[in-house]
Each structure stands twice: as C-alpha cells, then as structure tokens.
Amino acid sequence: MMAAALGPPEVIAQLENAAKVLMAPPSMVNTEQRQHAEHIFLSFRKSKSPFAVCKHILETSKVDYVLFQAATAIMEAVVREWILLEKGIIESLRTFLLNYVLQRPHLQKYVREQILLAVAVIVKRGSLDKSIDCKSIFHEVSQLISSGNPTVQTLACSILTALLSEFSSSSKTSNIGLSMEFHGNCKRVFQEEDLRQIFLLTVQVLQEFSQREHLSAQMSSVFQRYLALANHVLSWNFLPPNLGRHYIAMFESSQNVLLKPTESWREALLNSKVMELFFTVHRKIREDSDMAQDSLQCLAQLASLHGPVFPDEGAQVDYLSHFIEGLLGTINGIEIEDSEAVGISSIISNLITVFPRNVLTAIPRELFSSFVNCLTHLTCSFGRSAALEEVLDKDDMVYMEAYDRLLESWLTLVQDDKHFHKGFFTQHAVQVFNSYIQCHLAAPDGTRNLTANGVASREEEEISELQEDDRDQFSDQLASVGMLGRIAAEHCIPLLTSLLEERVTRLHGQLQRQQQQLLASPASGSADSKTLDDLYEDIHWLILVTGYLLADDTQGETPLIPPEIMEYSIKHSSEVDINTTLQILGSPGEKASSIPGYNRTDSVIRLLSAVLRVSEVESRAIRAHLTHLLSPQMGKDIVWFLKRWAKTYLLVDEKLYDQISVPFSTAFGADTEGSQWIVGYLLEKVLNNLSVCSSEQGLADDTVQLLVTLVERRERANLVIQCENWWNLAKQFASRSPPLNFLSSPVQRTLMKALVLGGFAHMDTETKQQYWTEVLQPLQQRFLRVINQENFPQTCQQEEVKQEITATLEALCGIAEATQVDNVAILFNFLMDFLTNCIGLMEVYKNTPETVNLIIEVFVEVAHKQICYLGESKAMNLYEACLTLLQVYSKNNLGRQRIDVTAEEEQYQDLLLIMELLTNLLSKEFIDFSDTDEVFRGQEPGPAASRSVSAADVVLYGVNLILPLMSQDLLKAREERNVNVETMRA
Amino acid sequence: MCGLGWAPCTEDPGGGGGPGGAVREGRPAVGRWGPGFAAPQAVPSEEFPQPTMADEIDFTTGDAGASSTYPMQCSALRKNGFVVLKGRPCKIVEMSTSKTGKHGHAKVHLVGIDIFTGKKYEDICPSTHNMDVPNIKRNDYQLICIQDGYLSLLTETGEVREDLKLPEGELGKEIEGKYNAGEDVQVSVMCAMSEEYAVAIKPCK
C-alpha cells in the first residue's frame, strides 16, 4: 500500500526518518512519535511484494536500521508469498542477498546476520518442495572457504551457522507460519545430507588450520569460529523418524544431547582421522581456555557416539579403543588446566554412560586398565582441587563439577558386577575413598582447609538456614563414595571405625578439659574452640560417609541391607565372637578398645557402635550442662545416621534376604535383647534431644524424624511401646508442659504424629485403652473443657485460652498426618468430632485471622491425608463439614475490608488455604483408594443415602461460596492465581 | 453509661504486668538453658500498683490482671505470630535462623511490622532467648456515630465507647463514607500493649 503509493526515494526518506525517531534518546521524542515510527516499519514489513523497494533500499540507504528492516521485510514477504512467486525470482533474491553480503565486508554485524537469516529461511522453505537447489549454496560456500581470505572464510562460517540454527529446531526458529511437522521434516532432510556436508567442510577447514605451524590472530579467530561450528554440528539433536508433535518438543528440550546420528554418517564419523583431528586440535589450542572449551565439547560429543552409525559391536569396540588411546595420549603426562577439568570429566562420563559394558570389556585389557587407572588418578586429583576451591571460596567451582561427574561415572561403572570380576575395582575404590576421606579430615590425618602451600585457613562465616545441609548438598558425591566404600568394605569399614573411635576419645577428653576449665574459672570463655570445631567437622563427615556406606535412603520402599555389607559380615562371622560384639554394642559409654577381645567383633556392628559412642559422649556432655560447647550440627548428624540405620537394620526381616549374617540377626533381629536394648537407647536419645534442644530447630526436626522411623513400622513400634520412656514422652507431651511445648509447631505436629502411630502398635486391649487415655483423650478433654465453658465467648481472647486452642489445633494437624490405610477408620472418626467443633470456633475467632487460618489448616490436612481412603458416606461427611466451614467463613468475611500491615500475599493466606482445601478435596476425583467403605466396615449404619455427590460438585460449590470474597487486588497476587488455576482446571 | 476515661486494657502504661498474672502461672523458669540469655521480663512495678477499679467498673472482658505481654522462647515464635520488638507490638513477617560457623548455635533473625503504625523493626537473638509476646485482643463494635474525629461505638453489652480515633488513611475514609451513606457497619478494634485502634470494618448483618 505504502510502497505502491510512494516512489522508492520517498519510501526510503520516510523509513530513514522513522529510524531516526526510533534511535533517538528518550528525551528527544515522545511516545506518540515513537509509536508512529514503529507503525511505519510494521506496515512496511507487511506491504505486498516489497522486493524491488527492498533491493533499492539495500543498495542505496546508509542507515543500518533501515537495512535491517529491509532484510526482515524480504524474509517475511518471501515466506508469505511463496506459492505466488516464481521460482526464478526466489532464486535471484537469494543470490542477490548472498552477493550483497559478500560485496560488503564492513556491514554492521546485526545487519549481516539478518540478511543471512533471510537466506537461511529461503533455503529452508525451499528445501521441501525441492524448488531451490541447496547444493548450489554449499558449492558457493566451499569456494569461499578455499579462497584463503580470512574475512571471506568468516563469512562462509556465518552462512553455515545461520543455516544450522535455522534447521536445528522445530520450535525455536523464525516464525515462518508453517507447522511443527514441516519444521520436523525439514530437520530430518537436513540432517541426512546437508548437515553432513557442513561437517565435512568444517573438518576440512580444521584440518588445514591444524597443520599450520603458526596462526595469525586473525586466522586463529577464524579457526575458533569453525571449531564452534563443529561443536554445533556434533551437538546436533538428531531427530528420529516418526516422532509425534508432543515428543518433538520434549525431545528438543532435553539438555544433555548425546550424539546419535543416522546410518548415513558412518563414513564421516567412524573415520579414525576425524577423531584424531579433534585430539590434535585440542592439543594445539588447549592453553586457550575459550577454544579448549569447544574442542573438549567436540570430543565429549564424539565420546557419546552411539546408534545405527555403528554397523556392529566390533566397530564400536574399535572406535572406543581408538578413542581411549587418543584420550590417554592427550591427557597422560600433562598438567591439566583448570579450564579442561569439566570437559575431560564429561568425555569420560560420556564414554562410561554410553558404551555398553561388553564393549568396554572387549577393548584390549591393558588399555582398559590404563583407562581405569587414569580415571582413578583424575578422580583423586580433581577431588583435591575441588577441596582447594572450597577453601578459597571460588565462585566458579570447576573442579567440584568435574569431580561430581567422575564420581557419578564410578557409580555407573561399579554397579555392574556381571562384566567385571569381583574385586576388579577394589583397589581403585580404596584410592578414591581414601582421598575423599583425606580431603574432609583436618590435619594431620587429612588436608581439610589447607591451601596448596599447606597453610590452614579457617573462617567463621555466617551460615543461613537456607544453606543446604552437607548431607543434601553433597548427596550425590556421598552416594558414590558410599558405594565405593561398600566395594572395598574390607578396607573402608575398619578405616572409618578407627577414625571415628579415635575422634570420640579425643572429643571426650577435650570436653572434659573444657569442663575442668569452666569449673576452675567459670568466667573464662571457652578457650579452644578450634580444636573442638575441627573434631566436630571430622566427625560430621565421618558420620555422613558411614551413613551413606551402611544404608540407602529409600522412600516408600523397604530399604535393604546392601548386599556387599551383608556379604562382608557373613564372610567374617566365623572369626567373630558374638558375645564380645554385643558387649561392644551395648556399652557405648566405654572405650571400644577397653573391652577384652575387642578385635574379634563384627566390623559393621563395631562401626555402628562407634557412632553410638559419639552419641553417648554428646548425651553425657548434655547431662554435664555443656550443651553450649556441643555442635548442634553433629547432633543432627547423629540422629540422621541413627534414623537411616534403624530403617534398614533394626529388626531385619529375614525373609527379605537369601542369607543373613549371624551377628546382625543376633544383635538387631526380631525378639532379641539387642534390638530391645537399642530401641530403648534410641528412645532415650530422642527424649534427651527434645528436652534440651528445643531452640535448635534443625536438630529437633531430625530427632522427631528418628522417632517417626521407630514407630512407623508395626514391628518396631511394638518394641517402642514397651519402653517406659515412650509413656513418659506421651504423658509429658499431653500435659503441654515444658520443655516439649517449646518446640516449634512443625516439630510438635510430627511428635503428635509419632505418638499416634505408636498407638497402633500391638498391645492388649487394656494397655491400648490406657494409651489412648494418655495420648488422645487429654486432647479431647482439655479442648471440650475450654470450649464448653459458659463464658467461652468472653474468655476466648485470653492468651491462655488462645494458646490452649492453638495447641489443640496443631495437634489435630499432627494426628491427621499420622493417617495410614490401617488406622484411617479410627482417626477419621476421632477427627470428625473435632471438625464439627472447629466450625464453632470459626465463629468465635472470626476476628483472629491466625486462629482462623489454623482451623482451616486442620481441614486442609484432614482432606489431604484422608480423603483418598474415604468411602462414599464418610467422604460425604467430610464434604459437608468443609462446606459448612466455607459458609461460616464466607458469612464472616463477606464485605470485609481490612488494613493489614503485612505483604499482600500473606494477607490472603486464609483464601490460599481454602483453595488448597478445595484442591485436596478435588484430588478424590483422581486418587481414590476407597473400597466402598471397606475400612469402615461394621461401622456403617446402613447403605448410604441415594444421593451421590462427586468431589467436583463439592469443589464447584465451594468456589462459588468464596468467589465473592476475591477482590481484584487479590487476583493480582500471583501465587493465589496459580492455585486458583490449578483448581479451576480440574 | 459512657465510660469516660475508661481504660479498656487494664495494664498500666509502663508495661508492668499485673502481679501474679494468670498467664504467667505455670510458665517455665525463664532462661533455663542459657543463663546468659535471660529474657528481660516485665516486672510488676511497685510504682504502679494494680488499680482496684476492677471491682467498681463492669468489665466486659475478663482480662483484669492479665499482663500485656508474656515470654516465649525465641525458637517457638512463628511467622505471622506476634512479638515485641524495640518495645512495640509487632507482627512477625520474616523469621529466619542462622549460625556462626557450621557448628555454631542457632540465632534467630526477626523482622516485625508494628501492628499499629506499620513501622518495621528487626532483631537478632540466640534461639534460646526468651522474647516478649504481646497479648492481642480483638473486638467488634457497631458504629453509632463519628464526632470530632472520634468514633462512637456500641459494645456487645450495650455500652458506648468514644475513646477511639477515626483511623487515618483509606480505612478512615471508608468508615466515614459508609457512615455518611447511612450504612450500618461494624468496626473491628485491635488492642495490644495498652494501645487500641480500629483495624477493619464490615457491614452489619
């Protein structure tokens, strides 16, 4: 339109003016002018057949931005008018654009890239109807490359890069108005033929460059570009045939792309010269960290080669042998640069992950063992460098990343015992394990916090709660090291035992000395916190490694004793004296070495007992009022370990194992004195911790988790409830007296959960009666006493009344959390009584948002934990209760306006909770374990009334109730909206 | 009866609690685990003996003698709960813990917002420390009239209170607007540490 109305010179003038406006600083032009200028460009790009004008602009205009827009206009118009255009015109346009760029080496980069993008788009659009001959462009490019002129070669590289990125993905390319399937098909055609062409051209350039003795700066920059291009090609995400639309998107979003080309690439990639070239290139440029990144990445991609490109296993073995030879030749005997660590570790990790074990073992034996030696050496050395990085507190932890990868590779490697004979990796495992331990222990045994020149550095830094605990932050490393420790159990278990035992003795001595000092001069502060802190840190790491070595962390499944550990214990059980072993286990207060015959004990049990000794020293220090000297972190480690251990070893179920170690079954088996003793010991530990550590949230958390572990399985719970301490705990908690009522609310909830779970242990009716009288009844009684008081509406705001109510509501949440399939019937009925009363409370506390929120939270928890088990009539009861709650809430809050000082999102916490409640109710629609009130059988008064209500109905009704409460402000709160959408969607 | 000079919260302005306040009873010995961290407790003040007015005036809420604050171990505080920071009743909007060194003991960082003025206060203390928590009370009153910038409110027991200011800002305008439009509204009043303000309104049922 515009182009038709105005002659080319006018159009150019208009566009150049508009460009001036757009490029002007904000102070010079107003918004209106800017919008007008934008509009001019937009309509220009939409104009019909702008090719002549655009050519004219490109040839005459001096304004870069206008040139850029002209290129864009051509690109868009070609795609738009494709079917109407004659092939000749398209062909000439493409040639024009290419020549244009060639003739103007000094174009602005963004203009050049845009023009090349237009070329690439034309090629792509043409590739499917075969109208454009792609070959010709490669012919032209290869001529450019052979020109020997660096500028031209750079341009050739840009053309190839533009083509590559245009074809590489189906979703991230220029919008040319075609379907995803079209993009997918283009990509498949491209990767068969043209991509390989590009690869060969690139290899040719690299070949040539790598043979030159000296590279000028300009040449070297060209070299770098082609290397990057090679990396681009080798990281190509080869699209398999027949992949559906949804999978294409998923496939292309995968981060870690392995090289899996089609068969047609066989010649190009299996040629050993190609692989050698990349090794040569790397050797040549390895000191340039930028280029080394690309060359290593190319090698890593080549290390991940798999798929139909290999004709048979033999080819794979050949390729792998060649590759490993090249790799060892490159890295052996050199000092690895910092920038190489990650790259080298990815190469190795790719080799180990991608090549099947039978191929790995088929390469020459010598070669394989040098490879494993090299891996061992690198792992240990990266580990040490990673520790140094930590000391220096570097931002970029390259060695840590490399170390992680290598440890992960070990995990893949050693988990296969079919292809490697037993003990094949033992010596290597010992080395890696030792170096890990060494890096984490203080001098003289280890090198922790030592800088390269052996100077100890240590800073007391502020650590916020957001920082992850080491056991989570380094869980992958610890899992690998634990696995290696199992492989080399003969070495590692005694090592850990002796390191731990020695440190326990030192810790005991150190605490004693500090106590003496305190007694002598109470005013003096703790003098030597360094020694203690070093001991704590040593013990911290030793316990973590021991925990990962002895047991796995499983969720949902029953964790088994690792077979290596079981075998190790069985193997030595004939040399072991069971009684001494039990004595070592049962006397954590004594030094292990003070027990006669201590060397003839089961090593695994002795390692456990070493941790118990640490725990005992801690407990004694607490009793001696030295809590302020203790490390809460070590306290956490101890209960974390005990929990992990108890889950796996305590009351081993012999049915799950082919063979069981006699020491294990004697010490922790069912119906043994050992297990009874240890349950008592653990319970005492829990009680100790909870009564002195209410101020250490993390420790209290881990401690109640241990308690839950003790009671969540019926067999263990049966032992627990025989302990007097358990009953003491229950009574103490029910009385809401200190110190237990100081615990934070999540800890109290979990404690309540544990107490309820314990109640389902096996006991005679009378005991059971007594137990519930101690645990649940006080809750009910206290609650009813408060709310049934005549003047409750008047006293409800009194602090002690509020606290009583809050504590009850918290406890209800805990009870709901304890729900399991076999106790849901009892717990549901118990909680339902409360829910009804809670609705009354909503009325009383309508002005106290924190209490209202807590009441809603109780409903949220009950719905969350129980709805899936409830049959029709019980679910109906719960729906009714929830809707009544909503009605009361809605009545009290309709039209309410509040000023609240807190941030917006928190202000609406009540509504958020309600949305969560509705979401939980809705989950009934897709997760439903109920079997027409199976678990309630015998309690039903009769068949449920004929009304059948679905959760969705209830939720819709609920949403209806609270919708009027949602103000516009509220909908602005993003968090809310997400929950909202989630609910609405279902 | 119009209770002129009637103090809805019986505490003296000095913040001293009533002697032997019911809330204190059965509380633990303060600072039991950290002798160095004993909490500054509100001590019953000799200078401000509890007035004996309790017998003379008809209290609607039975809070005579209740102290305006009570102590709580720092670690037991929770976000969205209340605490006294720098002598002001605050709502806890942020609560985080940290420690010095990996093996150090927990410290609690508290950020609170004054429930009346909206001003922000912060504090750091060892988690074994006891902090004061304000007693918060809320009441709903029916609005009768607005006079000289003060609200006239009808209590549940039929008394009229005229000692509460019309709040400033949005809420104040809202109340005034509704009142002028002849709508029946209820005003929610919050009371803590002998201060009392209107904080919300809603239409009467």
Side-chain angles (χ1 to χ4, degrees):
Chain A
M1 305 151 283
M2 185 179 66
L6 303 168
E10 288 85 0
V11 174
I12 293 178
Q14 193 186 22
L15 289 175
E16 285 182 355
N17 275 331
K20 231 180 256 165
V21 173
L22 278 182
M23 296 293 167
S27 56
M28 303 287 289
V29 288
N30 61 30
T31 334
E32 231 166 83
Q33 287 171 306
R34 196 176 289 277
Q35 278 172 353
H36 180 68
E38 276 168 14
H39 180 74
I40 288 179
F41 280 114
L42 282 178
S43 59
F44 166 66
R45 275 163 40 185
K46 281 189 196 131
S47 54
K48 206 175 160 199
S49 299
F51 306 113
V53 183
C54 286
K55 273 187 183 176
H56 187 71
I57 292 174
L58 286 172
E59 272 158 355
T60 55
S61 179
K62 299 272 181 295
V63 182
D64 293 328
Y65 188 73
V66 175
L67 297 178
F68 174 85
Q69 289 290 349
T72 315
I74 294 184
M75 178 169 79
E76 288 178 1
V78 169
V79 173
R80 203 167 52 228
E81 299 174 16
W82 187 269
I83 37 174
L84 305 170
L85 290 171
E86 273 180 50
K87 305 301 174 221
I89 294 184
I90 299 174
E91 189 72 16
S92 75
L93 258 178
R94 186 181 69 81
T95 323
F96 166 77
L97 289 174
L98 213 52
N99 285 334
Y100 180 82
V101 177
L102 280 176
Q103 286 153 12
R104 292 171 180 74
H106 300 300
L107 273 180
Q108 279 288 335
K109 188 165 182 274
Y110 76 97
V111 179
R112 186 175 60 224
E113 304 275 305
Q114 190 69 7
I115 295 174
L116 291 178
L117 181 65
V119 174
V121 167
I122 293 175
V123 172
K124 181 169 179 178
R125 180 63 182 86
S127 67
L128 264 202
D129 51 14
K130 304 279 177 208
S131 54
I132 298 279
D133 190 7
C134 229
K135 297 289 167 303
S136 74
I137 195 164
F138 289 115
H139 183 68
E140 288 157 40
V141 170
S142 66
Q143 274 183 338
L144 298 180
I145 291 175
S146 55
S147 72
N149 175 345
T151 325
V152 177
Q153 285 175 327
T154 308
L155 183 67
C157 185
S158 297
I159 297 172
L160 294 178
T161 311
L163 281 172
L164 209 59
S165 37
E166 197 51 47
F167 280 91
S168 67
S169 135
S170 335
S171 45
K172 287 175 207 132
T173 45
S174 323
N175 178 10
I176 54 174
L178 290 167
S179 70
M180 204 158 174
E181 283 76 12
F182 168 83
H183 288 287
N185 288 337
C186 280
K187 187 173 176 179
R188 284 196 194 95
V189 173
F190 184 79
Q191 72 195 17
E192 272 306 307
E193 193 48 48
D194 306 330
L195 183 66
R196 203 173 65 238
Q197 193 80 28
I198 295 179
F199 182 66
L200 292 176
L201 282 174
T202 314
V203 165
Q204 193 189 323
V205 177
L206 293 178
Q207 191 91 48
E208 191 192 323
F209 277 62
S210 69
Q211 282 159 2
R212 300 207 187 167
E213 278 300 305
H214 176 73
L215 285 179
S216 67
Q218 203 186 11
M219 291 294 233
S220 142
S221 126
V222 177
F223 190 27
Q224 184 170 0
R225 281 170 151 267
Y226 277 91
L227 191 54
L229 182 62
N231 182 10
H232 208 142
V233 176
L234 291 173
S235 307
W236 186 267
N237 201 348
F238 280 85
L239 197 61
N242 312 323
L243 205 59
R245 167 181 279 259
H246 174 68
Y247 293 101
I248 291 182
M250 221 164 68
F251 181 78
E252 288 186 338
S253 64
S254 69
Q255 289 292 311
N256 196 11
V257 178
L258 300 175
L259 183 56
K260 191 181 181 183
T262 50
E263 210 179 305
S264 60
W265 282 70
R266 190 169 291 163
E267 217 171 305
L269 285 173
L270 295 194
N271 181 349
S272 62
K273 288 224 176 70
V274 171
M275 185 201 297
E276 275 157 27
L277 170 68
F278 282 97
F279 280 115
T280 318
V281 167
H282 179 68
R283 278 193 290 267
K284 199 175 170 80
I285 49 87
R286 57 182 285 266
E287 266 140 32
D288 178 328
S289 64
D290 284 338
M291 281 165 97
Q293 213 113 48
D294 274 321
S295 61
L296 286 171
Q297 184 58 35
C298 286
L299 286 168
Q301 289 306 115
L302 287 173
S304 72
L305 185 67
H306 64 295
V309 70
F310 289 116
D312 52 30
E313 209 180 284
Q316 224 173 344
V317 174
D318 278 349
Y319 182 86
L320 181 65
S321 319
H322 252 99
F323 196 95
I324 290 182
E325 270 167 26
L327 178 69
L328 294 180
T330 308
I331 57 178
N332 270 348
I334 58 161
E335 195 162 322
I336 288 177
E337 305 268 337
D338 293 357
S339 53
E340 287 178 304
V342 175
I344 290 177
S345 68
S346 341
I347 295 176
I348 294 180
S349 124
N350 278 352
L351 286 177
I352 291 176
T353 340
V354 172
F355 284 89
R357 296 291 156 267
N358 53 337
V359 174
L360 263 184
T361 44
I363 67 171
R365 182 180 290 259
E366 299 277 289
L367 189 62
F368 184 67
S369 66
S370 334
F371 176 62
V372 178
N373 283 338
C374 171
L375 173 58
T376 312
H377 169 76
L378 283 180
T379 313
C380 297
S381 125
F382 285 179
R384 280 190 291 274
S385 305
L388 271 182
E389 273 176 348
E390 275 204 293
V391 177
L392 300 175
D393 207 10
K394 285 200 179 168
D395 287 336
D396 203 8
M397 307 274 274
V398 285
Y399 283 107
M400 191 57 94
E401 195 185 335
Y403 190 43
D404 283 343
R405 262 185 223 181
L406 291 188
L407 283 178
E408 207 182 297
S409 309
W410 276 110
L411 201 55
T412 357
L413 201 57
V414 299
Q415 268 172 344
D416 186 318
D417 48 9
K418 276 201 287 291
H419 291 94
F420 304 108
H421 71 82
K422 213 174 167 63
F424 183 88
F425 291 114
T426 308
Q427 277 320 305
H428 305 284
V430 167
Q431 282 185 50
V432 176
F433 187 88
N434 280 353
S435 92
Y436 190 86
I437 296 288
Q438 204 179 34
C439 289
H440 288 87
L441 293 185
D445 289 327
T447 56
R448 188 182 65 231
N449 283 339
L450 290 187
T451 52
N453 49 12
V455 181
S457 92
R458 177 172 158 275
E459 265 173 64
E460 289 274 275
E461 46 177 345
E462 280 296 299
I463 298 176
S464 87
E465 64 182 339
L466 298 175
Q467 193 160 345
E468 260 186 310
D469 204 294
D470 285 338
R471 67 176 183 237
D472 301 318
Q473 194 185 343
F474 297 107
S475 60
D476 290 346
Q477 279 189 8
L478 286 163
S480 300
V481 170
M483 187 68 207
L484 291 172
R486 289 177 199 170
I487 302 270
E490 295 275 355
H491 165 83
C492 300
I493 290 181
L495 175 72
L496 286 174
T497 310
S498 72
L499 289 171
L500 261 176
E501 281 177 355
E502 190 220 0
R503 274 154 187 78
V504 179
T505 315
R506 274 166 57 196
L507 178 65
H508 187 246
Q510 189 63 24
L511 286 171
Q512 245 177 3
R513 282 190 291 280
Q514 298 224 356
Q515 189 191 21
Q516 294 301 324
Q517 234 171 39
L518 280 173
L519 289 176
S521 55
S524 74
S526 60
D528 192 8
S529 74
K530 161 111 176 61
T531 316
L532 267 184
D533 271 3
D534 272 348
L535 277 171
Y536 288 141
E537 185 71 359
D538 279 7
I539 294 174
H540 166 67
W541 285 107
L542 289 172
I543 291 182
L544 291 191
V545 173
T546 308
Y548 274 89
L549 192 154
L550 289 186
D552 291 313
D553 184 26
T554 53
Q555 276 176 345
E557 303 162 47
T558 309
L560 293 181
I561 297 175
E564 295 88 355
I565 304 291
M566 186 66 97
E567 265 169 48
Y568 171 63
S569 175
I570 291 173
K571 187 175 157 199
H572 292 277
S573 55
S574 60
E575 313 147 23
V576 160
D577 183 294
I578 298 276
N579 281 331
T580 325
T581 305
L582 290 180
Q583 208 184 336
I584 282 261
L585 177 68
S587 55
E590 288 165 48
K591 261 170 88 164
S593 56
S594 69
I595 293 163
Y598 66 95
N599 272 334
R600 293 188 57 220
T601 49
D602 181 88
S603 303
V604 180
I605 296 181
R606 185 152 161 216
L607 181 53
L608 162 73
S609 80
V611 181
L612 291 183
R613 284 180 163 71
V614 181
S615 155
E616 184 63 22
V617 168
E618 186 192 45
S619 300
R620 290 183 178 193
I622 290 173
R623 264 176 259 144
H625 302 290
L626 296 175
T627 314
H628 62 285
L629 292 178
L630 289 171
S631 154
Q633 175 69 52
M634 184 183 76
K636 279 176 72 174
D637 297 332
I638 293 171
V639 279
W640 165 83
F641 171 87
L642 293 174
K643 173 188 147 202
R644 200 175 166 110
W645 174 85
K647 254 190 176 164
T648 312
Y649 289 80
L650 188 53
L651 300 184
V652 277
D653 185 352
E654 305 200 3
K655 289 193 293 293
L656 299 173
Y657 303 90
D658 300 338
Q659 225 190 338
I660 194 148
S661 132
V662 178
F664 287 0
S665 62
T666 324
F668 334 117
D671 303 321
T672 57
E673 258 179 68
S675 52
Q676 180 68 57
W677 175 83
I678 204 151
V679 164
Y681 185 83
L682 296 181
L683 204 54
E684 198 182 325
K685 184 81 199 168
V686 168
L687 234 74
N688 267 341
N689 276 4
L690 290 184
S691 47
V692 296
C693 300
S694 59
S695 60
E696 293 292 340
Q697 165 105 41
L699 176 52
D701 258 347
D702 282 336
T703 306
V704 280
Q705 291 305 336
L706 169 61
L707 188 65
V708 170
T709 301
L710 287 181
V711 289
E712 74 189 345
R713 262 188 54 203
R714 201 60 56 85
E715 298 81 6
R716 290 197 286 263
N718 291 344
L719 287 183
V720 171
I721 53 141
Q722 289 170 31
C723 298
E724 204 175 322
N725 268 334
W726 174 256
W727 293 77
N728 289 340
L729 181 71
K731 277 180 219 166
Q732 232 185 75
F733 187 65
S735 72
R736 298 214 184 113
S737 54
L740 295 184
N741 66 341
F742 284 168
L743 296 167
S744 67
S745 71
V747 175
Q748 293 208 25
R749 280 188 199 186
T750 316
L751 191 52
M752 188 73 224
K753 172 183 171 183
L755 288 173
V756 172
L757 284 175
F760 292 98
H762 178 76
M763 37 189 155
D764 57 60
T765 333
E766 200 181 322
T767 324
K768 194 153 228 157
Q769 192 61 42
Q770 195 196 339
Y771 184 78
W772 290 120
T773 317
E774 305 267 12
V775 176
L776 291 185
Q777 232 145 304
L779 193 71
Q780 212 161 15
Q781 284 163 356
R782 295 172 69 126
F783 183 66
L784 291 177
R785 200 168 57 228
V786 171
I787 63 166
N788 287 338
Q789 261 172 12
E790 233 170 87
N791 61 343
F792 178 58
Q794 277 84 51
T795 58
C796 69
Q797 291 284 344
Q798 279 173 22
E799 204 46 53
E800 67 267 51
V801 176
K802 262 205 298 201
Q803 281 188 6
E804 188 70 38
I805 296 290
T806 308
T808 307
L809 293 172
E810 292 279 1
L812 292 179
C813 290
I815 294 173
E817 275 179 39
T819 305
Q820 290 178 341
V821 64
D822 50 357
N823 63 20
V824 64
I826 299 173
L827 292 187
F828 178 75
N829 290 339
F830 179 80
L831 287 169
M832 263 323 271
D833 291 345
F834 276 96
L835 293 190
T836 327
N837 283 321
C838 281
I839 293 170
L841 280 183
M842 277 295 268
E843 190 64 51
V844 176
Y845 283 103
K846 59 188 173 195
N847 285 327
T848 317
E850 55 279 12
T851 313
V852 168
N853 288 352
L854 202 52
I855 295 170
I856 305 175
E857 229 177 297
V858 174
F859 281 78
V860 169
E861 273 307 319
V862 173
H864 175 54
K865 287 292 182 180
Q866 303 198 330
I867 188 84
C868 60
Y869 300 121
L870 300 181
E872 205 171 301
S873 67
K874 296 288 171 187
M876 200 57 215
N877 291 348
L878 185 58
Y879 294 155
E880 272 167 12
C882 291
L883 289 181
T884 320
L885 175 90
L886 294 189
Q887 274 159 357
V888 174
Y889 176 82
S890 149
K891 181 188 68 146
N892 285 336
N893 288 279
L894 203 58
R896 186 181 186 84
Q897 287 173 7
R898 31 189 176 180
I899 45 160
D900 201 321
V901 290
T902 46
E904 266 182 27
E905 278 169 30
E906 275 159 38
Q907 206 183 128
Y908 299 112
Q909 226 201 332
D910 42 1
L911 282 175
L912 269 175
L913 281 168
I914 287 181
M915 297 309 287
E916 199 182 331
L917 172 62
L918 294 177
T919 313
N920 286 346
L921 288 179
L922 197 57
S923 70
K924 180 76 174 168
E925 292 283 310
F926 37 89
I927 306 171
D928 192 351
F929 301 134
S930 72
D931 186 10
T932 56
D933 285 322
E934 180 67 33
V935 288
F936 293 97
R937 186 156 293 166
Q939 295 184 25
E940 288 294 303
S946 58
R947 49 193 179 157
S948 146
V949 179
S950 79
D953 296 336
V954 178
V955 170
L956 284 175
Y957 184 66
V959 169
N960 223 4
L961 270 179
I962 61 159
L963 266 182
L965 301 173
M966 299 197 176
S967 63
Q968 261 185 335
D969 283 349
L970 174 64
L971 290 176
K972 280 182 201 150
R974 197 167 46 87
E975 200 185 340
E976 173 72 39
R977 200 162 47 210
N978 291 344
V979 184
N980 222 330
V981 168
E982 198 182 309
T983 316
M984 300 293 186
R985 193 182 290 148
Chain B
M1 173 187 115
C2 184
L4 274 180
W6 182 80
C9 292
T10 53
E11 306 82 10
D12 55 70
V23 175
R24 247 342 118 55
E25 271 172 14
R27 300 252 129 238
V30 174
R32 182 178 148 203
W33 300 318
F37 306 133
Q41 261 190 81
V43 179
S45 162
E46 293 294 316
E47 288 165 61
F48 298 100
Q50 192 64 30
T52 48
M53 282 169 9
D55 299 324
E56 298 157 23
I57 295 176
D58 179 23
F59 283 98
T60 47
T61 50
D63 58 353
S67 70
S68 68
T69 64
Y70 61 97
M72 194 185 234
Q73 184 170 287
C74 211
S75 54
L77 295 171
R78 46 189 287 177
K79 199 176 159 182
N80 296 324
F82 299 94
V83 71
V84 179
L85 295 177
K86 309 268 171 5
R88 297 292 308 163
C90 294
K91 177 163 183 164
I92 303 171
V93 291
E94 252 180 74
M95 193 172 158
S96 59
T97 56
S98 72
K99 53 185 180 179
T100 306
K102 204 191 276 178
H103 300 283
H105 291 254
K107 289 179 296 186
V108 179
H109 303 234
L110 289 165
V111 180
I113 288 191
D114 191 316
I115 53 175
F116 296 126
T117 68
K119 231 180 133 191
K120 200 178 198 178
Y121 295 96
E122 290 187 44
D123 204 358
I124 300 184
C125 60
S127 65
T128 46
H129 201 308
N130 277 327
M131 299 288 284
D132 283 337
V133 177
N135 282 324
I136 308 265
K137 278 189 289 290
R138 290 187 186 76
N139 287 301
D140 279 356
Y141 302 120
Q142 194 180 337
L143 179 67
I144 307 173
C145 78
I146 302 176
Q147 216 167 30
D148 300 332
Y150 279 83
L151 304 167
S152 287
L153 301 169
L154 184 66
T155 69
E156 277 175 18
T157 48
E159 291 148 40
V160 178
R161 298 190 49 185
E162 299 185 308
D163 56 335
L164 286 167
K165 267 194 177 155
L166 179 68
E168 291 169 7
E170 284 295 309
L171 186 70
K173 281 183 204 145
E174 195 79 36
I175 296 179
E176 231 174 346
K178 293 246 156 99
Y179 172 71
N180 290 337
E183 282 179 49
D184 278 344
V185 288
Q186 278 205 322
V187 177
S188 293
V189 172
M190 182 153 70
C191 166
M193 297 173 78
S194 32
E195 283 180 57
E196 213 171 355
Y197 292 97
V199 293
I201 55 163
K202 60 177 180 175
C204 280
K205 278 155 270 177

